[in-house]
Amino acid sequence: MTEVTTLSVARTLDRCTTLGPGTRAVIWVQGCPLRCRGCVAAETLPFEGGTTHQVSELAAWLGALPDIEGVTLSGGEPFSQAAALASLLDHVRARRPEFTAMAYSGFRHEALRRGGPDRLALLRRLDLLVDGPYVASERHGLRWRGSANQRVIPLTDRYAHVASEPDVSAGVEVSMEGDGSLSWAGVPPTPGFREGLEERLAARGFVLRAEARREA
């Protein structure tokens, strides 16, 4: 595995219940080689931008968060920064061995398994994967997924039970930032959700931050 000590990040969230099992931290990475039509987080697609963080810094942040069971990696495309994320998980689990990891990817699981050593390293460290590109014409309102072609794939026994649980939307969480702006996290249950939400909030005098998440 390539040694990488920094990660380009679009956004972080310390507590979330709509992007994976239980209460989780979330890291949205910056940059994605895919261009899924209708991606609700288009600002995370360019590889330029974002904020550079040390892997050790992010590991310390995750390791100190109370009452979360793991982290969800989103973006952007996490497997475009696979080596850094694999290293991050190693650092966190050195302190919290029970810490779980879930990731979104626009690539299919089969393609990731044929990838290079960095992608394989990250894949081996995940407990749960949501794979496949966002397809706007596919059915919506599904658990943790933007469209029906995407799959929730348990990669360890830790989350083997999720396949038998109801496949319904986990909803969306809205948070108010220190500057009074709003942000949200979750998988929109319908196409056009972000645009509609922004319009309704603007009509009430609220500003929605550019960073959101996630259909693609």
Side-chain angles (χ1 to χ4, degrees), residues 106-124:
F107 297 101
R108 299 278 287 183
H109 183 214
E110 294 83 358
L112 294 174
R113 291 177 61 185
R114 296 192 298 269
D118 293 343
R119 290 188 174 187
L120 291 173
L122 177 56
L123 200 59
R124 286 194 298 268

PDB file of all heavy atoms in Angstrom, residues 106-124:
ATOM      1  N   GLY A 106     -18.843   5.108  -6.332  1.00  0.00           N
ATOM      2  CA  GLY A 106     -19.523   5.071  -7.618  1.00  0.00           C
ATOM      3  C   GLY A 106     -19.108   3.872  -8.467  1.00  0.00           C
ATOM      4  O   GLY A 106     -19.711   3.602  -9.494  1.00  0.00           O
ATOM      5  N   PHE A 107     -18.064   3.174  -8.034  1.00  0.00           N
ATOM      6  CA  PHE A 107     -17.611   1.975  -8.739  1.00  0.00           C
ATOM      7  C   PHE A 107     -18.299   0.744  -8.161  1.00  0.00           C
ATOM      8  O   PHE A 107     -18.610   0.693  -6.973  1.00  0.00           O
ATOM      9  CB  PHE A 107     -16.090   1.816  -8.599  1.00  0.00           C
ATOM     10  CG  PHE A 107     -15.305   2.926  -9.213  1.00  0.00           C
ATOM     11  CD1 PHE A 107     -14.767   3.929  -8.426  1.00  0.00           C
ATOM     12  CD2 PHE A 107     -15.105   2.974 -10.588  1.00  0.00           C
ATOM     13  CE1 PHE A 107     -14.033   4.963  -8.987  1.00  0.00           C
ATOM     14  CE2 PHE A 107     -14.380   4.006 -11.162  1.00  0.00           C
ATOM     15  CZ  PHE A 107     -13.847   5.003 -10.364  1.00  0.00           C
ATOM     16  N   ARG A 108     -18.506  -0.250  -8.980  1.00  0.00           N
ATOM     17  CA  ARG A 108     -19.071  -1.510  -8.513  1.00  0.00           C
ATOM     18  C   ARG A 108     -18.042  -2.274  -7.682  1.00  0.00           C
ATOM     19  O   ARG A 108     -16.835  -2.145  -7.876  1.00  0.00           O
ATOM     20  CB  ARG A 108     -19.511  -2.359  -9.703  1.00  0.00           C
ATOM     21  CG  ARG A 108     -20.588  -1.728 -10.561  1.00  0.00           C
ATOM     22  CD  ARG A 108     -21.963  -1.935  -9.993  1.00  0.00           C
ATOM     23  NE  ARG A 108     -22.413  -3.311 -10.165  1.00  0.00           N
ATOM     24  CZ  ARG A 108     -23.628  -3.746  -9.790  1.00  0.00           C
ATOM     25  NH1 ARG A 108     -24.472  -2.910  -9.210  1.00  0.00           N
ATOM     26  NH2 ARG A 108     -23.979  -5.004  -9.978  1.00  0.00           N
ATOM     27  N   HIS A 109     -18.565  -3.064  -6.761  1.00  0.00           N
ATOM     28  CA  HIS A 109     -17.697  -3.867  -5.901  1.00  0.00           C
ATOM     29  C   HIS A 109     -16.760  -4.743  -6.716  1.00  0.00           C
ATOM     30  O   HIS A 109     -15.565  -4.866  -6.403  1.00  0.00           O
ATOM     31  CB  HIS A 109     -18.573  -4.723  -4.987  1.00  0.00           C
ATOM     32  CG  HIS A 109     -17.809  -5.543  -4.006  1.00  0.00           C
ATOM     33  ND1 HIS A 109     -18.228  -6.791  -3.602  1.00  0.00           N
ATOM     34  CD2 HIS A 109     -16.651  -5.310  -3.339  1.00  0.00           C
ATOM     35  CE1 HIS A 109     -17.365  -7.288  -2.736  1.00  0.00           C
ATOM     36  NE2 HIS A 109     -16.402  -6.415  -2.548  1.00  0.00           N
ATOM     37  N   GLU A 110     -17.273  -5.326  -7.788  1.00  0.00           N
ATOM     38  CA  GLU A 110     -16.454  -6.207  -8.622  1.00  0.00           C
ATOM     39  C   GLU A 110     -15.277  -5.447  -9.237  1.00  0.00           C
ATOM     40  O   GLU A 110     -14.167  -5.982  -9.339  1.00  0.00           O
ATOM     41  CB  GLU A 110     -17.311  -6.829  -9.722  1.00  0.00           C
ATOM     42  CG  GLU A 110     -18.382  -7.790  -9.216  1.00  0.00           C
ATOM     43  CD  GLU A 110     -19.657  -7.100  -8.748  1.00  0.00           C
ATOM     44  OE1 GLU A 110     -19.719  -5.839  -8.782  1.00  0.00           O
ATOM     45  OE2 GLU A 110     -20.589  -7.808  -8.328  1.00  0.00           O
ATOM     46  N   ALA A 111     -15.515  -4.201  -9.646  1.00  0.00           N
ATOM     47  CA  ALA A 111     -14.440  -3.391 -10.216  1.00  0.00           C
ATOM     48  C   ALA A 111     -13.413  -3.022  -9.151  1.00  0.00           C
ATOM     49  O   ALA A 111     -12.202  -3.030  -9.411  1.00  0.00           O
ATOM     50  CB  ALA A 111     -15.015  -2.128 -10.859  1.00  0.00           C
ATOM     51  N   LEU A 112     -13.871  -2.707  -7.961  1.00  0.00           N
ATOM     52  CA  LEU A 112     -12.940  -2.366  -6.881  1.00  0.00           C
ATOM     53  C   LEU A 112     -12.054  -3.564  -6.531  1.00  0.00           C
ATOM     54  O   LEU A 112     -10.874  -3.400  -6.227  1.00  0.00           O
ATOM     55  CB  LEU A 112     -13.723  -1.909  -5.644  1.00  0.00           C
ATOM     56  CG  LEU A 112     -14.497  -0.598  -5.795  1.00  0.00           C
ATOM     57  CD1 LEU A 112     -15.347  -0.345  -4.567  1.00  0.00           C
ATOM     58  CD2 LEU A 112     -13.551   0.572  -6.047  1.00  0.00           C
ATOM     59  N   ARG A 113     -12.600  -4.747  -6.586  1.00  0.00           N
ATOM     60  CA  ARG A 113     -11.815  -5.947  -6.266  1.00  0.00           C
ATOM     61  C   ARG A 113     -10.743  -6.221  -7.319  1.00  0.00           C
ATOM     62  O   ARG A 113      -9.769  -6.920  -7.044  1.00  0.00           O
ATOM     63  CB  ARG A 113     -12.740  -7.160  -6.144  1.00  0.00           C
ATOM     64  CG  ARG A 113     -13.647  -7.109  -4.924  1.00  0.00           C
ATOM     65  CD  ARG A 113     -14.582  -8.284  -4.872  1.00  0.00           C
ATOM     66  NE  ARG A 113     -13.832  -9.551  -4.781  1.00  0.00           N
ATOM     67  CZ  ARG A 113     -14.418 -10.739  -4.819  1.00  0.00           C
ATOM     68  NH1 ARG A 113     -15.744 -10.834  -4.976  1.00  0.00           N
ATOM     69  NH2 ARG A 113     -13.698 -11.839  -4.713  1.00  0.00           N
ATOM     70  N   ARG A 114     -10.908  -5.649  -8.505  1.00  0.00           N
ATOM     71  CA  ARG A 114      -9.888  -5.782  -9.549  1.00  0.00           C
ATOM     72  C   ARG A 114      -8.921  -4.601  -9.548  1.00  0.00           C
ATOM     73  O   ARG A 114      -8.073  -4.482 -10.435  1.00  0.00           O
ATOM     74  CB  ARG A 114     -10.555  -5.896 -10.929  1.00  0.00           C
ATOM     75  CG  ARG A 114     -11.416  -7.143 -11.108  1.00  0.00           C
ATOM     76  CD  ARG A 114     -11.790  -7.338 -12.570  1.00  0.00           C
ATOM     77  NE  ARG A 114     -12.581  -6.232 -13.082  1.00  0.00           N
ATOM     78  CZ  ARG A 114     -13.915  -6.193 -13.065  1.00  0.00           C
ATOM     79  NH1 ARG A 114     -14.600  -7.197 -12.538  1.00  0.00           N
ATOM     80  NH2 ARG A 114     -14.573  -5.151 -13.558  1.00  0.00           N
ATOM     81  N   GLY A 115      -9.042  -3.722  -8.561  1.00  0.00           N
ATOM     82  CA  GLY A 115      -8.224  -2.518  -8.510  1.00  0.00           C
ATOM     83  C   GLY A 115      -6.828  -2.784  -8.003  1.00  0.00           C
ATOM     84  O   GLY A 115      -6.439  -3.920  -7.710  1.00  0.00           O
ATOM     85  N   GLY A 116      -6.073  -1.710  -7.878  1.00  0.00           N
ATOM     86  CA  GLY A 116      -4.693  -1.809  -7.422  1.00  0.00           C
ATOM     87  C   GLY A 116      -4.604  -2.037  -5.927  1.00  0.00           C
ATOM     88  O   GLY A 116      -5.621  -2.133  -5.222  1.00  0.00           O
ATOM     89  N   PRO A 117      -3.395  -2.113  -5.397  1.00  0.00           N
ATOM     90  CA  PRO A 117      -3.198  -2.440  -3.981  1.00  0.00           C
ATOM     91  C   PRO A 117      -3.815  -1.429  -3.026  1.00  0.00           C
ATOM     92  O   PRO A 117      -4.263  -1.806  -1.940  1.00  0.00           O
ATOM     93  CB  PRO A 117      -1.675  -2.495  -3.839  1.00  0.00           C
ATOM     94  CG  PRO A 117      -1.133  -1.780  -5.034  1.00  0.00           C
ATOM     95  CD  PRO A 117      -2.114  -1.998  -6.123  1.00  0.00           C
ATOM     96  N   ASP A 118      -3.855  -0.148  -3.387  1.00  0.00           N
ATOM     97  CA  ASP A 118      -4.426   0.849  -2.494  1.00  0.00           C
ATOM     98  C   ASP A 118      -5.936   0.648  -2.349  1.00  0.00           C
ATOM     99  O   ASP A 118      -6.476   0.702  -1.228  1.00  0.00           O
ATOM    100  CB  ASP A 118      -4.138   2.255  -3.013  1.00  0.00           C
ATOM    101  CG  ASP A 118      -2.663   2.596  -2.973  1.00  0.00           C
ATOM    102  OD1 ASP A 118      -1.908   1.902  -2.265  1.00  0.00           O
ATOM    103  OD2 ASP A 118      -2.260   3.550  -3.671  1.00  0.00           O
ATOM    104  N   ARG A 119      -6.608   0.427  -3.458  1.00  0.00           N
ATOM    105  CA  ARG A 119      -8.058   0.198  -3.389  1.00  0.00           C
ATOM    106  C   ARG A 119      -8.369  -1.093  -2.648  1.00  0.00           C
ATOM    107  O   ARG A 119      -9.321  -1.157  -1.855  1.00  0.00           O
ATOM    108  CB  ARG A 119      -8.658   0.184  -4.798  1.00  0.00           C
ATOM    109  CG  ARG A 119      -8.666   1.562  -5.455  1.00  0.00           C
ATOM    110  CD  ARG A 119      -9.433   1.575  -6.744  1.00  0.00           C
ATOM    111  NE  ARG A 119      -9.543   2.935  -7.273  1.00  0.00           N
ATOM    112  CZ  ARG A 119     -10.272   3.276  -8.325  1.00  0.00           C
ATOM    113  NH1 ARG A 119     -10.955   2.350  -8.979  1.00  0.00           N
ATOM    114  NH2 ARG A 119     -10.322   4.537  -8.722  1.00  0.00           N
ATOM    115  N   LEU A 120      -7.598  -2.130  -2.881  1.00  0.00           N
ATOM    116  CA  LEU A 120      -7.813  -3.386  -2.167  1.00  0.00           C
ATOM    117  C   LEU A 120      -7.573  -3.219  -0.678  1.00  0.00           C
ATOM    118  O   LEU A 120      -8.277  -3.816   0.149  1.00  0.00           O
ATOM    119  CB  LEU A 120      -6.913  -4.478  -2.740  1.00  0.00           C
ATOM    120  CG  LEU A 120      -7.266  -4.943  -4.158  1.00  0.00           C
ATOM    121  CD1 LEU A 120      -6.208  -5.908  -4.680  1.00  0.00           C
ATOM    122  CD2 LEU A 120      -8.640  -5.615  -4.172  1.00  0.00           C
ATOM    123  N   ALA A 121      -6.592  -2.405  -0.321  1.00  0.00           N
ATOM    124  CA  ALA A 121      -6.312  -2.169   1.096  1.00  0.00           C
ATOM    125  C   ALA A 121      -7.500  -1.505   1.783  1.00  0.00           C
ATOM    126  O   ALA A 121      -7.887  -1.890   2.898  1.00  0.00           O
ATOM    127  CB  ALA A 121      -5.065  -1.306   1.246  1.00  0.00           C
ATOM    128  N   LEU A 122      -8.083  -0.502   1.139  1.00  0.00           N
ATOM    129  CA  LEU A 122      -9.255   0.147   1.731  1.00  0.00           C
ATOM    130  C   LEU A 122     -10.429  -0.818   1.790  1.00  0.00           C
ATOM    131  O   LEU A 122     -11.128  -0.903   2.808  1.00  0.00           O
ATOM    132  CB  LEU A 122      -9.625   1.396   0.934  1.00  0.00           C
ATOM    133  CG  LEU A 122     -10.885   2.140   1.413  1.00  0.00           C
ATOM    134  CD1 LEU A 122     -10.775   2.529   2.880  1.00  0.00           C
ATOM    135  CD2 LEU A 122     -11.146   3.371   0.542  1.00  0.00           C
ATOM    136  N   LEU A 123     -10.646  -1.557   0.733  1.00  0.00           N
ATOM    137  CA  LEU A 123     -11.761  -2.501   0.697  1.00  0.00           C
ATOM    138  C   LEU A 123     -11.660  -3.511   1.843  1.00  0.00           C
ATOM    139  O   LEU A 123     -12.673  -3.844   2.478  1.00  0.00           O
ATOM    140  CB  LEU A 123     -11.767  -3.224  -0.652  1.00  0.00           C
ATOM    141  CG  LEU A 123     -13.062  -3.899  -1.110  1.00  0.00           C
ATOM    142  CD1 LEU A 123     -14.195  -2.890  -1.209  1.00  0.00           C
ATOM    143  CD2 LEU A 123     -12.847  -4.589  -2.448  1.00  0.00           C
ATOM    144  N   ARG A 124     -10.456  -3.985   2.120  1.00  0.00           N
ATOM    145  CA  ARG A 124     -10.268  -4.970   3.196  1.00  0.00           C
ATOM    146  C   ARG A 124     -10.568  -4.388   4.571  1.00  0.00           C
ATOM    147  O   ARG A 124     -10.820  -5.137   5.523  1.00  0.00           O
ATOM    148  CB  ARG A 124      -8.836  -5.500   3.177  1.00  0.00           C
ATOM    149  CG  ARG A 124      -8.547  -6.461   2.048  1.00  0.00           C
ATOM    150  CD  ARG A 124      -7.240  -7.194   2.285  1.00  0.00           C
ATOM    151  NE  ARG A 124      -6.094  -6.287   2.343  1.00  0.00           N
ATOM    152  CZ  ARG A 124      -5.347  -5.960   1.296  1.00  0.00           C
ATOM    153  NH1 ARG A 124      -5.636  -6.460   0.087  1.00  0.00           N
ATOM    154  NH2 ARG A 124      -4.319  -5.149   1.428  1.00  0.00           N
TER     155      ARG A 124
END
